[in-house]
Amino acid sequence: MAEIISARVIVTCPGRNFVTLRIETRAGVYGLGDATLNGRELAVASYLNDHVIPCLIGRDAHRIEDIWQYLYKGAYWRRGPVTMSAIGAVDMALWDIKGKMAGLPVYQLLGGASREGCMVYGHANGADIEETIEAAIAHVEQGYKAVRLQSGVPGLAATYGVAKAGERYEPADGALPTESLWSTEKYMRSVAPLFEKAREALGWDVHLLHDVHHRLTPIEAGRLGRELEPYRPFWVEDPTPAENQAAFRLIRQHTNVPLAVGEVFNSIWDAKQLIEEQLIDYVRTTIVHAGGITHIRRIAALADLYQVRTGCHGATDLSPVTMAAALHFGLSVPNFGIQELMPHTELTNTVFPHAYSYRHGMMHPGDAPGLGIEIDEELAAKYEYTRAFLPVARLEDGTMFNW
Ligand code: EZ4
Ligand code: CO
């Protein structure tokens, strides 16, 4: 019995908001979990403080599966990003505790390493094609084997995935949502030329990726996929919103470009049809937003039956705690595909010291017991929560659209 005697939520903003759960056991061993839900951070903090932590006290931290089922089935109200992020944070912290008590890194508890490291993809973006290709070349020079390309669209003032001049890309950029205008026609004209020029400049030995960020209809996505086929992208991400999973049948009828979906999913049920009908090639759900290591293993096991591989979300709004957990999972899971890497700032890395590392386009979780992640609480306390929302998008005539 590893009795849970206390748990607390730590909210900090070292440049951006992060929510961390710390669970303590009577033996003095503690575990950390990420509970960050970009733009909705305090909702998860409240869910944990008001509704989850009181139920944890006195329970055995070793009973990870039972606690998962208790929080999932016991709420009566199932699924949803707030609930599943809170459960995800508890689950990560419990795996961290179990690893520390066993004296083993979590990937050993998950079956051990299935590979030498986790291939990651970096983000290359720029105001135009030339700038984006320059950024991609810089990534290749740093050893990246895979690079995501997002370029400014001629005629649009701002585009998803493209940093403001001289800044790092950070979408949660306003105390109220900033608004940008979208034109599918302008965007569609810009993507194939970007990939054509990228192949000319980078050759064929580097994987190239692209995120459509839910902006197309299925038939438009089919056309974009077909236009990109000659440039052999590793994947095209979120081509259309995926609430209607059957919509992806229409995309598949028109293109064989590999598809990646799932960063906004929070349960296996969101991906069930996409996986069973082999409508996607990579599932992007990650540890924090989909109920932790326990639930993502279930998603990956289902995906493995259908030759769908993992491609976990790894933007900067997922804290280093999630990155650590994703790497333990990624190193061990049989059907690993790729891991997204948007490096955190130096300051964030100082608040969250960690055992994981990057080398030659690959990442490794390290061999520290548990998840191999810490939080410097004194430093974290210096950076108070600052409200920040994700942007919204409208069509040029003012109609609300998908961001
Ligand atoms: O917009 O994580 O592939 N990555 C993405 C991200 C998401 C943000 C939202 O919080 O689409 O940049
Ligand atoms: Co995305």
Side-chain angles (χ1 to χ4, degrees):
M1 167 89 170
E3 190 189 349
I4 297 173
I5 55 164
S6 68
R8 62 176 192 276
V9 177
I10 304 154
V11 181
T12 180
C13 186
R16 70 161 350 283
N17 293 312
F18 294 113
V19 180
T20 309
L21 176 69
R22 179 185 159 119
I23 297 180
E24 290 184 30
T25 62
R26 191 167 294 286
V29 178
Y30 64 89
L32 297 178
D34 179 22
T36 310
L37 181 62
N38 206 5
R40 294 292 184 271
E41 295 85 359
L42 299 186
V44 187
S46 158
Y47 192 86
L48 283 166
N49 277 321
D50 299 332
H51 306 292
V52 172
I53 289 176
C55 301
L56 293 178
I57 309 304
R59 283 180 199 284
D60 182 357
H62 277 314
R63 296 182 62 176
I64 297 176
E65 182 69 40
D66 183 67
I67 289 176
W68 195 96
Q69 299 293 340
Y70 185 90
L71 294 175
Y72 183 82
K73 294 176 179 163
Y76 183 64
W77 312 107
R78 296 187 184 200
R79 307 192 278 156
V82 174
T83 302
M84 295 304 279
S85 298
I87 297 177
V90 172
D91 188 78
M92 270 181 256
L94 297 182
W95 280 103
D96 193 21
I97 289 170
K98 197 183 277 297
K100 285 175 179 168
M101 287 190 164
L104 290 169
V106 166
Y107 77 83
Q108 294 291 12
L109 305 181
L110 302 179
S114 292
R115 55 195 54 79
E116 303 308 314
C118 302
M119 178 169 70
V120 294
Y121 70 92
H123 284 204
N125 67 78
D128 54 26
I129 291 179
E130 285 64 39
E131 259 188 55
T132 306
I133 289 175
E134 265 174 48
I137 290 170
H139 278 81
V140 172
E141 284 169 358
Q142 290 166 44
Y144 279 89
K145 300 174 195 302
V147 184
R148 188 185 92 158
L149 304 176
Q150 306 293 138
S151 174
V153 175
L156 294 182
T159 315
Y160 163 77
V162 178
K164 292 178 195 138
E167 290 179 26
R168 293 167 67 97
Y169 181 64
E170 173 50 71
D173 63 355
L176 285 172
T178 55
E179 299 205 1
S180 56
L181 293 183
W182 175 255
S183 158
T184 295
E185 295 73 19
K186 289 172 182 159
Y187 165 75
M188 288 282 273
R189 287 199 295 271
S190 73
V191 192
L194 168 65
F195 270 73
E196 184 186 2
K197 299 233 168 61
R199 280 297 176 211
E200 278 168 21
L202 300 162
W204 296 86
D205 287 337
V206 58
H207 297 302
L208 300 179
L209 297 77
H210 180 69
D211 191 350
V212 180
H213 220 259
H214 327 272
R215 302 290 170 90
L216 299 178
T217 65
I219 200 71
E220 289 163 350
R223 181 150 61 83
L224 181 72
R226 193 176 278 188
E227 285 175 13
L228 294 182
E229 278 170 25
Y231 313 111
R232 297 281 194 274
F234 184 91
W235 79 31
V236 170
E237 177 183 335
D238 287 332
T240 198
E243 290 101 322
N244 177 13
Q245 298 180 45
F248 282 72
R249 291 176 185 156
L250 189 52
I251 305 177
R252 286 294 212 206
Q253 283 164 21
H254 294 280
T255 179
N256 63 22
V257 83
L259 301 174
V261 178
E263 68 184 39
V264 301
F265 292 172
N266 50 69
S267 121
I268 195 167
W269 300 99
D270 295 325
K272 182 174 178 288
Q273 186 180 9
L274 289 173
I275 291 171
E276 286 177 343
E277 292 189 27
Q278 296 181 302
L279 299 176
I280 56 172
D281 302 280
Y282 297 89
V283 58
R284 279 185 49 70
T285 314
T286 193
I287 314 289
V288 52
H289 298 144
I293 292 172
T294 297
H295 194 61
I296 206 174
R297 289 180 88 196
R298 211 150 271 149
I299 297 175
L302 176 68
D304 194 29
L305 299 181
Y306 298 96
Q307 302 186 47
V308 174
R309 288 183 280 171
T310 66
C312 287
H313 192 198
T316 38
D317 47 288
L318 310 164
S319 95
V321 182
T322 286
M323 180 53 88
L327 292 171
H328 285 278
F329 165 71
L331 195 69
S332 59
V333 71
N335 52 325
F336 174 79
I338 197 166
Q339 167 67 46
E340 182 178 19
L341 169 61
M342 245 179 112
H344 289 108
T345 61
E346 274 308 305
L347 181 59
T348 296
N349 286 331
T350 314
V351 173
F352 295 94
H354 50 256
Y356 64 75
S357 58
Y358 167 91
R359 197 165 159 259
H360 300 322
M362 313 283 280
M363 288 184 80
H364 194 284
D367 281 299
L371 292 175
I373 185 86
E374 290 295 335
I375 181 166
D376 181 336
E377 288 197 58
E378 230 172 273
L379 189 58
K382 290 190 182 145
Y383 304 104
E384 262 179 49
Y385 169 78
T386 310
R387 194 175 75 194
F389 286 133
L390 289 169
V392 297
R394 292 183 186 274
L395 301 181
E396 288 171 308
D397 71 357
T399 308
M400 274 298 299
F401 198 58
N402 315 312
W403 177 71

